Amino acid sequence: MKEYNVAVVGIGGVGSEMVRILKQRNFPCKSLQIFARSTRDEVVDGVTYNVKAVTEDALDNIDVAFFAGGEKADDHFGLKAIERRKSVSGLNKLVVIDNGNAFRMYPNVPLVVPEVNPEDLRENTGIIASPNCSTIQMVAALKPLHDAARIKRVVVSTYQAASGKSAAAREELVKQTKDVAEGNAPVVDINVFPYQIYGNCLPHIDVFLPDGYTKEELKVIQETRKILGDDTIQVTCTAVRVPVDNAHAESVNVEFYNPLSAQKAREILANTPGIIVQDDVKNNIYPLQADASGKDEVFVGRIREDRSVAYGINFWVVSDNLRKGAALNTVQIAEKMIEMGLL
């Protein structure tokens, strides 16, 4: 098997998870280098990695670079490295797989969930974008249903864990929970979130836009259409931060153009790679965030027909936002490219 010189750029929560998943899945690394804004040592699962400062020429000998995040395209080192590759002869071919928001809606950049739209990988100029965490788990469930009955409209409410914000957010939730348990209420240590997260659901993820939606909600709306390749699908979203450590949950309502029973939807999803159906309400079996944390699959349950429209389905979907919602999806993109002979 061919081996690759691999880089992970960014070594926070998502970057560390990328390193972990590359090892867990035995990705064919000839070498693995870690880059960040500053030089330092970082420990992941007991292994110390020397982190180098990322520069425009740092990726000259890299075959595939996994970027943990980034919001701006104009100062993105991945884009600079690809442009440098074009201008300097003899440099390795480079593929950048970016987990950030910088390139997701660029028309010439594939936005990919490997189980959903792998063929989009064939049309790339060196950069592939991985979608927003809350989009990934939803489209993984939507795609097979869309193929079966064609989606008309999606209404989704997300229940997103603190880990989706940052490591500091997780620490703030833990501290507030401990403070309340020890009788130190009201909570006064509020730094990461706009309000106390312990005991609260905050309908506020990312910045508010002029129309009252948040940037997070807009990502879900736009990315869903791009990934499914259908701009006619109507999507609306309310994104909520909840006092849960890790793994996102979503309540999804889908209206179709064609008939689709709950039983048929259940059968379709149960036979979809990467999805596990947990849907036995008689025995209180349905997906839970605590159970999904640390897992690679997307879990779907509470599948039922929407009585308010002619053809509609409701379901509940849960996934680990740091794994399938971020690091795992980027590694799976590279694996799929290898399988397709694109890397």
Side-chain angles (χ1 to χ4, degrees):
M1 179 183 291
K2 181 179 177 180
E3 293 186 325
Y4 303 86
N5 294 313
V6 176
V8 171
V9 184
I11 194 65
V14 173
S16 296
E17 200 69 19
M18 287 175 172
V19 172
R20 184 173 293 117
I21 288 170
L22 286 166
K23 293 187 66 176
Q24 289 174 348
R25 296 175 72 87
N26 295 315
F27 190 85
C29 294
K30 182 186 299 182
S31 65
L32 174 60
Q33 298 185 62
I34 315 297
F35 296 97
R37 294 287 180 180
S38 60
T39 301
R40 61 188 185 274
D41 287 340
E42 289 284 348
V43 179
V44 179
D45 295 343
V47 178
T48 301
Y49 294 90
N50 175 241
V51 180
K52 302 173 184 177
V54 63
T55 60
E56 291 187 26
D57 61 353
L59 304 180
D60 281 357
N61 296 312
I62 297 299
D63 300 307
V64 55
F66 299 97
F67 277 72
E71 293 291 316
K72 297 180 180 180
D74 54 2
D75 63 352
H76 197 288
F77 279 101
L79 179 60
K80 292 178 180 179
I82 288 174
E83 291 173 345
R84 175 178 166 81
R85 180 194 68 190
K86 294 175 180 177
S87 64
V88 180
S89 63
L91 295 185
N92 286 12
K93 181 179 179 181
L94 172 66
V95 171
V96 170
I97 303 175
D98 185 45
N99 183 65
N101 191 48
F103 301 103
R104 287 175 182 157
M105 297 312 298
Y106 274 47
N108 64 334
V109 174
L111 182 65
V112 175
V113 179
E115 301 92 334
V116 175
N117 59 331
E119 286 302 312
D120 289 359
L121 291 168
R122 298 191 186 279
E123 304 297 326
N124 79 83
T125 58
I127 296 179
I128 296 98
S130 184
N132 186 42
C133 50
S134 48
T135 305
I136 289 174
Q137 65 190 69
M138 183 173 75
V139 297
L142 288 180
K143 178 58 164 62
L145 303 181
H146 183 52
D147 290 345
R150 194 185 168 210
I151 294 171
K152 180 179 182 181
R153 183 170 187 253
V154 179
V155 180
V156 55
S157 295
T158 73
Y159 304 84
Q160 296 179 227
S163 62
K165 174 75 172 173
S166 64
R170 301 175 83 167
E171 292 169 4
E172 184 159 297
L173 172 59
V174 170
K175 187 176 188 309
Q176 289 180 2
T177 304
K178 183 178 179 181
D179 285 347
V180 172
E182 293 176 350
N184 299 323
V187 170
V188 295
D189 187 11
I190 301 173
N191 298 304
V192 179
F193 297 103
Y195 297 98
Q196 173 184 315
I197 187 62
Y198 172 83
N200 274 327
C201 293
L202 306 180
H204 178 186
I205 299 178
D206 214 319
V207 298
F208 281 104
L209 303 172
D211 63 357
Y213 281 80
T214 63
K215 191 174 179 180
E216 179 79 4
E217 292 159 353
L218 185 63
K219 290 176 186 176
V220 173
I221 292 167
Q222 293 179 329
E223 292 175 17
T224 298
R225 292 172 178 157
K226 181 174 179 178
I227 295 165
L228 295 180
D230 190 343
D231 286 336
T232 69
I233 297 174
Q234 299 301 301
V235 185
T236 189
C237 175
T238 300
V240 182
R241 189 74 69 191
V242 297
V244 169
D245 175 61
N246 190 53
H248 292 348
E250 297 171 349
S251 172
V252 185
N253 172 265
V254 193
E255 183 179 0
F256 299 93
Y257 284 101
N258 301 301
L260 183 68
S261 69
Q263 182 55 35
K264 184 62 176 177
R266 200 173 286 113
E267 292 171 2
I268 290 170
L269 290 167
N271 287 290
T272 299
I275 288 181
I276 293 178
V277 173
Q278 296 177 325
D279 194 21
D280 180 5
V281 294
K282 291 181 180 178
N283 292 298
N284 291 339
I285 294 175
Y286 35 74
L288 297 172
Q289 285 157 284
D291 292 341
S293 184
K295 307 278 180 38
D296 290 345
E297 297 82 7
V298 173
F299 300 87
V300 183
R302 295 295 319 279
I303 303 165
R304 61 205 188 278
E305 290 161 27
D306 178 359
R307 298 178 179 179
S308 70
V309 295
Y311 310 130
I313 294 289
N314 294 302
F315 62 84
W316 177 253
V317 57
V318 179
S319 186
D320 186 320
N321 51 287
L322 292 182
R323 290 186 70 87
K324 183 55 184 170
L328 174 63
N329 196 69
T330 63
V331 174
Q332 288 177 315
I333 288 171
E335 292 173 340
K336 180 59 71 171
M337 293 184 75
I338 294 171
E339 179 185 321
M340 297 170 68
L342 302 174
L343 185 62

